[in-house]
Amino acid sequence: MTTLTTPTSSGASAPTARKRRRRSVEGGWKQITINRAFLIPAIVVFVFLFVVPLLQGLYWSFTDFTGYSPEANFIGWDNYVQILNDPSMLSGLTFTLLFAVGTTLLVTCLAIPLAVQLNKAFVGRNVVRSLWFFPAVPSMAILGLVWSYILSPLPSGVLNTLLSNWFGIEAVSWLSDNTLARFSVIMVGVWAQTGWHAVLYLAYLQSIPQEYYEVAKIDGASPRQQFFAITLPLLMPAMVVSSFLLLTNGLKVFDLPYTLTNGGPGFATYTITQSLVVTGVGQGEYGLSSALAVMFTVAVGVIGFTQLRITSRIGRRFA
């Protein structure tokens, strides 16, 4: 009995394999092309809403454009020189950096221990969490208006009335003294943001396996040692996110100082964003405000990049 076999050869199968590979490559390129096509609307929006205004602002920063006339004469670096010699703008830059760095450090130092306490089991835990998160619900503008009444330097102010009735302390000039006004704005910012960032840290805390703490207890580690050896290193990703949000929001702050002190007394709590609005919109000096915006954009980029590098290095070290 004979068995019939179909002759095969490598020469006949090689073209088929090449065709399959070619169809696979072509199908892959088609899929990549389709996927990239979905990015076109986002790219168009990014170009028209970010790139074009950025380049236009850079051009205006070298002109005397007022916004009321289409004429814009090239004046070189005069706008930048005027900014460096303007005490109000320099004061705005100083307080903006002070607010951004101060709120970032204070909120981080307060939010992490608060999150650790809120992560423990106790009666009314959900109510306490809600109360701490509540200051993040209203806008900063509303909080500024409310706190301007609480911190009023007049004897009829809420805080001054309590200090006078309870401790016999005379009225304190919370918002009329340069140092106290800066301190008050920063403290209100810290009060408004601590609860929100504590909830952020709380979410990361709940993802830490409890087995780590159980092993540490068996080894005789104290709660302090557990915090610095387990909790803090594992919270580094949350700290990177939290500090980046705090720093960027602090650098572009406008509503809280404006409604709380209106930039005063003098220029003590003046901010860069307030300078942009007042100079560009209020005084019609778009060229000058564009130069300030360019300088501010470069400063924010440098600070943000430096902050990300530092936090990433710290994160890798703890990891």
Side-chain angles (χ1 to χ4, degrees):
M1 183 175 182
T2 59
T3 303
L4 297 178
T5 59
T6 302
T8 59
S9 63
S10 59
S13 61
T16 303
R18 284 196 296 269
K19 289 180 180 179
R20 290 176 180 175
R21 286 196 298 268
R22 185 163 55 250
R23 286 197 298 267
S24 178
V25 172
E26 291 177 354
W29 280 110
K30 288 181 180 179
Q31 187 63 40
I32 293 175
T33 304
I34 293 174
N35 293 340
R36 290 180 176 177
F38 284 102
L39 296 176
I40 294 177
I43 294 174
V44 172
V45 172
F46 177 78
V47 169
F48 280 95
L49 296 184
F50 181 79
V51 177
V52 173
L54 184 64
L55 295 177
Q56 193 173 27
L58 180 63
Y59 168 72
W60 283 345
S61 68
F62 294 100
T63 66
D64 60 354
F65 181 60
T66 61
Y68 300 106
S69 172
E71 297 181 0
N73 301 316
F74 184 80
I75 59 175
W77 297 93
D78 291 352
N79 287 329
Y80 294 91
V81 174
Q82 183 177 347
I83 290 172
L84 296 177
N85 294 326
D86 191 334
S88 65
M89 294 186 180
L90 292 179
S91 179
L93 177 61
T94 301
F95 179 72
T96 301
L97 294 175
L98 178 64
F99 180 88
V101 176
T103 52
T104 300
L105 294 176
L106 291 175
V107 169
T108 302
C109 294
L110 294 175
I112 294 178
L114 177 61
V116 172
Q117 296 301 319
L118 294 178
N119 194 38
K120 298 179 180 178
F122 57 88
V123 179
R125 181 176 62 176
N126 293 334
V127 176
V128 175
R129 289 177 179 178
S130 302
L131 292 176
W132 276 104
F133 184 77
F134 174 75
V137 176
S139 67
M140 282 291 188
I142 296 176
L143 293 178
L145 293 174
V146 173
W147 277 94
S148 64
Y149 177 69
I150 296 175
L151 297 175
S152 174
L154 300 175
S156 58
V158 175
L159 185 56
N160 281 336
T161 300
L162 294 177
L163 293 176
S164 176
N165 294 338
W166 292 356
F167 305 102
I169 300 176
E170 296 182 357
V172 180
S173 54
W174 297 107
L175 303 180
S176 58
D177 179 79
N178 289 355
T179 303
L180 288 178
R182 291 173 177 172
F183 174 80
S184 300
V185 174
I186 293 175
M187 286 299 102
V188 173
V190 172
W191 172 82
Q193 300 179 89
T194 299
W196 190 92
H197 288 269
V199 173
L200 174 65
Y201 286 114
L202 181 62
Y204 278 83
L205 278 175
Q206 293 177 346
S207 65
I208 300 176
Q210 293 298 317
E211 290 79 4
Y212 294 167
Y213 297 100
E214 294 175 0
V215 173
K217 290 179 181 179
I218 294 174
D219 291 339
S222 63
R224 179 178 175 275
Q225 292 173 330
Q226 295 177 29
F227 175 79
F228 286 101
I230 301 175
T231 305
L232 192 59
L234 294 179
L235 282 180
M236 285 308 303
M239 194 178 300
V240 173
V241 176
S242 175
S243 60
F244 182 77
L245 292 175
L246 285 168
L247 193 61
T248 53
N249 290 333
L251 289 172
K252 63 182 182 181
V253 65
F254 169 75
D255 41 9
L256 178 61
Y258 184 77
T259 55
L260 185 58
T261 62
N262 198 20
F267 299 108
T269 58
Y270 214 58
T271 61
I272 291 294
T273 49
Q274 187 173 352
S275 298
L276 291 173
V277 174
V278 172
T279 304
V281 180
Q283 301 176 0
E285 298 182 5
Y286 282 87
L288 185 62
S289 63
S290 297
L292 180 61
V294 170
M295 296 177 64
F296 184 55
T297 302
V298 173
V300 171
V302 172
I303 294 173
F305 178 77
T306 304
Q307 187 263 344
L308 286 178
R309 290 293 300 271
I310 293 174
T311 51
S312 61
R313 283 188 177 183
I314 297 175
R316 286 196 300 267
R317 179 180 178 183
F318 278 102

